[in-house]
Amino acid sequence: MSEGEKAKVTPLRPRRPCPECGRPSARDTYPFCSVRCKNVDLNRWLSGAYVIPGEDAEDTPDGTPEQD
């Protein structure tokens, strides 16, 4: 491929800042910049540091869910 043809190739995904450190993302570890940042994020999910908020389910004394 010549230099002119390389310039016309569009990337599959736009380069974005790594959500962990802010450096540009890499194709093989997208959206992270490195395997290290990818593993840091995974560890946070597995340790419970990231939590998706929701309502607690409260049961009635007989064990059935409350009806509104």
Side-chain angles (χ1 to χ4, degrees):
M1 202 185 287
S2 71
E3 284 297 318
E5 291 173 349
K6 286 182 183 179
K8 294 179 185 178
V9 175
T10 56
L12 296 175
R13 297 179 183 126
R15 292 186 89 178
R16 296 188 177 171
C18 174
E20 290 300 320
C21 68
R23 289 185 288 199
S25 60
R27 182 176 290 211
D28 57 335
T29 56
Y30 190 84
F32 304 98
C33 68
S34 65
V35 173
R36 181 194 172 280
C37 284
K38 191 175 186 177
N39 288 337
V40 167
D41 184 72
L42 177 61
N43 181 51
R44 287 184 180 157
W45 278 104
L46 296 176
S47 66
Y50 295 144
V51 178
I52 299 172
E55 294 180 20
D56 291 336
E58 294 185 21
D59 292 340
T60 58
D62 65 350
T64 59
E66 270 189 330
Q67 299 289 327
D68 285 333

